[in-house]
Structures are given as C-alpha cells and as structure tokens.
Amino acid sequence: MSESADDIAAERSLVEDVRALVEDGKMLAEAEIDFHKKRAIYAANSAKGIGAMFVAAAVFGFFALMALIVGLIVSLGQHITYWGSTALVTGVLAIVALLLAQRGASKMRRMKQVISDGDD
C-alpha cells in the first residue's frame, strides 16, 4: 500500500526537517564560498596580465614622448642653437610640470577640505 504525501509528512519530525534544512544551508554556503574563491582567483590572475599591459603601454608611451622631445630639440636646434633649443624645450616642460603640480595640489586641498567638512 502506498502512503500519501500527508502520511509521509506526518511521520517526519520537526527535528529531521531542521537538520535537513541546516545541511542544505551548509552545502549552499560552502558552494557559495567556493564560487567566490574561484572568482577572486580568476580576478587576481587576470589583474596581473592587465597590469602588465598597462605598464608596457606606459613604457612605450614614455619612450614615444622622449622621441618627440628629442625630435623637437633637434628640429629647433637648426633654427636656434642646440643649447637654446634644449633650454627652450626644458623650460616649457618645466612650466607645464609646475602648472600640473599646482593644479594637483589645489585639487588635493579641495579634497581634504571636503573630507574634513564631512567629519564635523
């Protein structure tokens, strides 16, 4: 004789149901933790390659800028002396660097001001 679903449910105790629920919860939590570990490992391994690409791009960009600067010095050297073109290009680059540093310092002061205003 087959038992109905109500008969089976009546025979199971609440303790058995709670144990089954706890076991299912443990299994789900372990699977979730394993999934996130694998995601973190994948992201870390991918980040290494991505970081290497950005470093290589920065190196090549730096050398391209240096080639441009040398070419500028050489081409200006034909019109003014090579010492003069070196001084002119160096002076312009120094002024640009100074302006960028001042702008960065201004933004940093503004950021500190905004952060410190939030602490009051």
Side-chain angles (χ1 to χ4, degrees), residues 25 30 40 44 108 110:
E30 289 170 359
M108 185 177 291
R110 174 71 180 137

Side-chain angles (χ1 to χ4, degrees), residues 55-73:
V55 167
V59 167
F60 281 102
F62 172 77
F63 283 120
L65 182 62
M66 291 300 104
L68 178 67
I69 290 170
V70 169
L72 185 60
I73 290 171

